[in-house]
Amino acid sequence: MAPTRDILMKFYDAMAKAYGKQHWWPADNPFEVMVGAVLTQNTNWKNVEKAIENLKAAEVMDPFKLHALSQASLASLIKPAGYFNVKAKRLKNLLAWFCEQHDGSFEAIAQYHTYALQEALVNIKGVGRETADAIILYAFNKPTFVIDRYTHRILTRHGLIDMEASYDDMKQLFEGCLPDDLALFNEFHALIVQVGKNHCKPKAKCEGCPLEQFAHCVNPESF
DNA sequence: GACCAGGCACATC
DNA sequence: GATGTGCATGGT
């Protein structure tokens, strides 16, 4: 077995043992996944939940209703998620793509090959690599590995990649070593976020981290 | 009050 | 290409 794959699977098993099944993405349906993926950009999920509650309470958590809403009204509803003016614009861009170009049909978009969907999503202003991959994996159920800040931190702290590694470097590390398995990619990223939240903050000590047994944190004080 | 959060686009050099 | 900056609320 390839060494890196062996290490990654040990990480996965240790995290799964510590935290169990994650049941990601925390949303009622694929559309909510798309909305949540934009709202959570550089934002604590708790704040996103408040914004989503506002949308549901206003009865606009629906592709065409949200698309019909003015940007100002949308911004007002998603305020708790922060960056509300920026995110309202980004959501409108995503909704225009989804509703106008694909008639709000997940089935139509699901016909895309993963790489084509990746490209289409990233071409939407406000959708970057991570948001695109999160939507592809958790809304469209296509196996692609999602890289986020926690992934970068965990990989660098355990010496699996260097600080300057790009998004693609990290993505390739996982996708090149692991089997192309939807359930595995789904759980792996969710577990990384769980471990990251609890043990991998910039100034947090790594005590109790399920990955502590494999390697120490290189620089937990500053990054 | 400072720091952090499941990024991204854009300006500037 | 790479480096810096604005965007903003809410929890610790």
Side-chain angles (χ1 to χ4, degrees), chain A residues 153-205:
Chain A
R153 235 178 240 158
I154 288 171
L155 290 179
T156 53
R157 285 186 178 189
H158 289 271
L160 291 177
I161 210 155
D162 48 61
M163 282 291 292
E164 294 73 32
S166 69
Y167 187 94
D168 278 323
D169 290 337
M170 293 184 275
K171 192 174 172 64
Q172 270 309 113
L173 179 67
F174 288 97
E175 293 187 357
C177 294
L178 299 174
D180 196 37
D181 183 331
L182 174 64
L184 176 65
F185 287 5
N186 181 318
E187 284 299 307
F188 212 138
H189 174 67
L191 284 164
I192 284 172
V193 173
Q194 185 65 31
V195 168
K197 278 181 181 173
N198 292 320
H199 306 285
C200 221
K201 294 189 175 225
K203 290 175 183 172
K205 294 184 179 174

Side-chain angles (χ1 to χ4, degrees), chain A residues 97-115:
Chain A
W97 173 80
F98 186 65
C99 293
E100 292 174 19
Q101 294 187 38
H102 299 89
D103 201 29
S105 166
F106 279 91
E107 291 74 18
I109 297 169
Q111 302 303 313
Y112 279 77
H113 284 286
T114 299
Y115 69 86

